[in-house]
Amino acid sequence: LRLDSIVPWGRNLAEYQAMFNLSADELKTSRILGCGDGPASFNVEASALGADVISVDPVYQFSAEQIRSRIEAVSDTIEKQLSENRDHYLWTHFASPQALVEQRLATMDLFLADYADKQHTDRYQCQCLPDLDFDNDRFDLALCSHYLFLYSEHITEKAHLDAIHEMLRVAGEVRIYPLVTLRSDISPHLQPVIRHFEQLPCHVQLKPVSYTFQKNATQMLLISRN
Ligand SMILES: C[S@@+](CC[C@H](N)C(=O)[O-])C[C@H]1O[C@@H](n2cnc3c(N)ncnc32)[C@H](O)[C@@H]1O
């Protein structure tokens, strides 16, 4: 993985709670794995509340300073792209591309301070889907925000299935959001993935969520093992 090929961008705890319908009780009692958490502040904020959270992401092979310099290098371009593609988004939660970028930078500052301090502890692990170095059932809940389905042009249907099987091996329940692509179209992999897991001893549900930003991104996918 090359540092100049990644676009680090992270969301906060309130956003994770809204994207995944995560209740305060679930946060308190579940062993949670965040897959592809990147520079999100979910882990540091949830841990501060006593939650048991481990984040995995290939970007954790880099130092806090390397990630910070990459964030600084890409944030202007992201703001420009958001402005150019304004119509793909609902500007209710965020008033403008500038307001969004400001909040993201504050979120990532929280992550960076924690990561610089704690990067050698277990909470941030450099691991990648579809191969996780955890025992079966190590977690109650695996979350995957803004990785699967969003990058459907680059991640094949088989890679989606492999990633979800692996998350279901280490956690009894998997939640994924969003289910749309970067163009805010429903991912072409969604129905094949649903059909695949419906044929297995799994419970598959589409759940409405309160998070709003990308158009059409109104639901999360929840898959649990029976
Ligand atoms: C758009 S970011 C989302 C970050 C965070 N989940 C959030 O919503 O704020 C996508 C993340 O997926 C990570 N990623 C890329 N390939 C991955 C893989 N094979 N397994 C797990 N994460 C991966 C990237 O490094 C990046 O941090």
Side-chain angles (χ1 to χ4, degrees):
L1 181 71
R2 287 172 41 161
L3 186 61
D4 64 5
S5 72
I6 59 160
V7 181
W9 211 232
R11 288 159 193 81
N12 63 22
L13 172 62
E15 291 181 283
Y16 268 65
Q17 287 180 290
M19 293 187 288
F20 295 116
N21 292 349
L22 261 184
S23 67
D25 198 44
E26 282 175 321
L27 261 186
K28 227 182 271 167
T29 58
S30 307
R31 297 165 302 161
I32 300 176
L33 174 68
C35 291
D37 276 347
S41 62
F42 167 63
N43 189 317
V44 53
E45 290 184 83
S47 299
L49 297 177
D52 180 355
V53 181
I54 290 180
S55 297
V56 292
D57 197 296
V59 85
Y60 300 150
Q61 69 192 265
F62 299 111
S63 69
E65 271 326 298
Q66 286 173 308
I67 298 174
R68 182 186 297 283
S69 69
R70 188 65 192 145
I71 291 168
E72 284 165 4
V74 299
S75 63
D76 284 351
T77 311
I78 291 181
E79 189 174 331
K80 199 162 146 258
Q81 285 170 349
L82 284 167
S83 298
E84 285 169 4
N85 297 307
R86 274 188 108 91
D87 293 351
H88 290 182
Y89 305 101
L90 299 167
W91 297 96
T92 44
H93 183 68
F94 299 105
S96 65
Q98 192 193 357
L100 179 147
V101 170
E102 274 168 22
Q103 193 201 290
R104 291 272 182 273
L105 292 177
T107 291
M108 292 188 284
D109 270 347
L110 269 182
F111 159 79
L112 286 167
D114 185 52
Y115 180 73
D117 196 26
K118 300 267 167 51
Q119 65 167 308
H120 299 300
T121 73
D122 275 356
R123 279 201 290 113
Y124 299 108
Q125 299 191 15
C126 181
Q127 293 197 41
C128 303
L129 290 167
D131 293 306
L132 299 175
D133 187 15
F134 296 111
D135 290 341
N136 294 354
D137 284 314
R138 162 68 180 80
F139 301 94
D140 302 304
L141 183 57
L143 306 175
C144 187
S145 154
H146 292 83
Y147 173 57
L148 293 174
F149 298 116
L150 183 65
Y151 296 104
S152 288
E153 276 185 27
H154 306 282
I155 308 175
T156 62
E157 180 184 317
K158 176 166 187 315
H160 278 73
L161 296 176
D162 291 346
I164 297 169
H165 272 292
E166 182 67 347
M167 288 191 284
L168 276 174
R169 179 184 70 75
V170 301
E173 182 176 321
V174 170
R175 299 183 193 178
I176 306 171
Y177 179 91
L179 308 177
V180 302
T181 65
L182 290 168
R183 294 171 177 277
S184 295
D185 300 319
I186 300 292
S187 163
H189 301 319
L190 180 60
Q191 284 310 322
V193 164
I194 289 175
R195 279 197 296 273
H196 175 89
F197 284 97
E198 277 180 345
Q199 286 162 16
L200 300 175
C202 287
H203 192 43
V204 183
Q205 294 166 273
L206 289 171
K207 294 261 199 184
V209 300
S210 62
Y211 189 78
T212 48
F213 185 48
Q214 276 184 288
K215 283 188 180 162
N216 301 321
T218 56
Q219 295 179 311
M220 68 158 164
L221 179 65
L222 189 158
I223 306 180
S224 54
R225 271 188 274 122
N226 286 344

